[in-house]
Amino acid sequence: MRLLSEEDILKDKVDTIEQFYILRYLKDNLNTDNFDLYLLNRNKIKVIDKYNEILCFEYDKQNKEVIYNDYDKSYELEI
Protein backbone atom coordinates (compact mmCIF):
# COMPACT_ATOMS: atom_id res chain seq x y z
CA MET A 1 0.00 0.00 0.00
CA ARG A 2 1.38 3.38 -1.01
CA LEU A 3 0.14 6.85 -0.08
CA LEU A 4 -0.18 9.13 -3.09
CA SER A 5 1.46 12.52 -2.66
CA GLU A 6 -0.09 15.73 -3.99
CA GLU A 7 2.41 15.57 -6.85
CA ASP A 8 1.47 11.95 -7.63
CA ILE A 9 -2.18 12.95 -7.80
CA LEU A 10 -1.52 16.06 -9.85
CA LYS A 11 0.67 14.19 -12.34
CA ASP A 12 -1.42 10.98 -12.33
CA LYS A 13 1.54 8.94 -11.07
CA VAL A 14 0.05 5.51 -10.50
CA ASP A 15 1.21 2.00 -11.35
CA THR A 16 -1.55 0.55 -13.52
CA ILE A 17 -4.12 1.58 -16.11
CA GLU A 18 -6.90 0.58 -13.71
CA GLN A 19 -5.48 2.88 -11.05
CA PHE A 20 -5.27 5.66 -13.61
CA TYR A 21 -9.00 5.30 -14.42
CA ILE A 22 -9.86 5.32 -10.72
CA LEU A 23 -7.70 8.37 -10.02
CA ARG A 24 -9.23 10.23 -12.95
CA TYR A 25 -12.71 9.41 -11.59
CA LEU A 26 -11.75 10.62 -8.11
CA LYS A 27 -10.26 13.85 -9.43
CA ASP A 28 -13.42 14.51 -11.46
CA ASN A 29 -15.78 13.82 -8.55
CA LEU A 30 -13.92 14.78 -5.36
CA ASN A 31 -11.72 17.53 -4.11
CA THR A 32 -8.75 15.19 -3.70
CA ASP A 33 -6.97 17.75 -1.51
CA ASN A 34 -9.36 16.79 1.28
CA PHE A 35 -8.61 13.06 1.19
CA ASP A 36 -5.74 10.64 1.60
CA LEU A 37 -5.43 8.27 -1.35
CA TYR A 38 -3.63 4.94 -1.11
CA LEU A 39 -2.84 2.49 -3.88
CA LEU A 40 -3.99 -0.84 -2.47
CA ASN A 41 -3.37 -3.14 -5.39
CA ARG A 42 -3.41 -3.00 -9.16
CA ASN A 43 -7.18 -2.42 -9.24
CA LYS A 44 -8.06 -0.57 -6.01
CA ILE A 45 -7.51 2.80 -4.38
CA LYS A 46 -8.39 3.42 -0.74
CA VAL A 47 -9.79 6.85 0.13
CA ILE A 48 -9.79 8.22 3.68
CA ASP A 49 -11.61 11.40 4.64
CA LYS A 50 -10.91 13.80 7.51
CA TYR A 51 -13.17 11.75 9.81
CA ASN A 52 -11.20 8.57 9.05
CA GLU A 53 -14.08 7.12 7.06
CA ILE A 54 -12.81 4.78 4.36
CA LEU A 55 -14.09 3.76 0.95
CA CYS A 56 -12.42 1.54 -1.57
CA PHE A 57 -12.70 2.39 -5.27
CA GLU A 58 -12.01 -0.14 -7.99
CA TYR A 59 -12.21 -0.32 -11.74
CA ASP A 60 -14.67 -2.83 -13.19
CA LYS A 61 -13.12 -3.89 -16.51
CA GLN A 62 -16.20 -5.72 -17.70
CA ASN A 63 -18.50 -2.69 -17.34
CA LYS A 64 -15.72 -0.12 -17.81
CA GLU A 65 -16.70 1.90 -14.76
CA VAL A 66 -15.39 2.83 -11.36
CA ILE A 67 -17.29 1.34 -8.45
CA TYR A 68 -16.89 1.77 -4.72
CA ASN A 69 -17.39 -0.42 -1.69
CA ASP A 70 -17.02 -0.18 2.03
CA TYR A 71 -13.45 -0.83 2.96
CA ASP A 72 -12.46 -4.34 4.02
CA LYS A 73 -9.02 -4.95 5.55
CA SER A 74 -8.66 -8.07 3.40
CA TYR A 75 -8.17 -5.74 0.40
CA GLU A 76 -4.70 -4.99 1.71
CA LEU A 77 -3.79 -8.67 1.50
CA GLU A 78 -4.65 -8.96 -2.18
CA ILE A 79 -1.81 -8.90 -4.66
Side-chain angles (χ1 to χ4, degrees):
M1 180 169 58
R2 175 170 65 97
L3 175 64
L4 292 176
S5 68
E6 289 181 29
E7 181 180 350
D8 291 338
I9 294 168
L10 185 62
K11 294 182 177 181
D12 296 324
K13 286 187 176 180
V14 291
D15 300 330
T16 66
I17 293 170
E18 292 89 347
Q19 291 170 347
F20 173 79
Y21 289 143
I22 298 165
L23 183 58
R24 185 175 62 187
Y25 174 87
L26 293 173
K27 288 168 68 173
D28 288 346
N29 291 286
L30 297 174
N31 179 355
T32 55
D33 294 337
N34 295 331
F35 299 90
D36 289 330
L37 306 179
Y38 291 86
L39 300 180
L40 278 182
N41 63 31
R42 67 179 324 272
N43 193 39
K44 290 185 176 85
I45 294 180
K46 177 168 88 170
V47 177
I48 304 175
D49 70 10
K50 67 181 180 179
Y51 302 107
N52 280 333
E53 297 290 329
I54 303 172
L55 281 178
C56 185
F57 290 80
E58 67 181 289
Y59 185 70
D60 180 353
K61 281 186 179 182
Q62 185 173 357
N63 295 318
K64 298 188 187 293
E65 65 182 7
V66 174
I67 58 174
Y68 64 90
N69 298 297
D70 289 331
Y71 176 70
D72 184 332
K73 261 201 170 295
S74 69
Y75 294 153
E76 293 183 27
L77 303 175
E78 295 177 11
I79 296 177

